Amino acid sequence: MPPTAGRPDPDQDRTGSAPPLDLDALQHQVALFARRAEQTRLGGVGQARNSMDRAAYLLLNRLDRDGPTGVKALAAGMGIDSSTVTRQVAPLVESGLVKRTSHPDDGRAVVLQLSPRGVARLEQVRASRRELMELLTRDWDEEERTVFCELLTRFNQALSDFQAEGS
């Protein structure tokens, strides 16, 4: 919407010069992405659409990638608190997607791992999300998808590093 008479243009700073377009455009696009991603939950297409929340998806992916993992190691690897992992994994255990077992070296410690049902469910959701990504980027060539993924990975890592620094 254009500025109205008597009101300053919000895209102009107080000196009258515009902020750097690339950073202004970037922050705006990131805000739009965050809103749209949350609205759609980027949950995929078909029957599996929006059938798994983000926390569950990320936990199951991490367990699939790392194999059986203790709560503390899982939390550290995901950059979240152990109590958060414990709270988020409880419904996954209850629904049979994750199982708790004793640590092979220390029977008192608990190890979390995907159950066969969890493996199957994760693959179903991944397939649905892959289909959505294919649909959203259908007009992109392979190089564009690769570059976008590389840049998004770098951006996510920078956010993670920034958060870890406590800035």
Side-chain angles (χ1 to χ4, degrees), residues 1-17 19:
M1 174 190 274
T4 39
R7 283 207 249 157
D9 184 342
D11 292 330
Q12 297 283 320
D13 67 18
R14 293 179 187 208
T15 64
S17 62

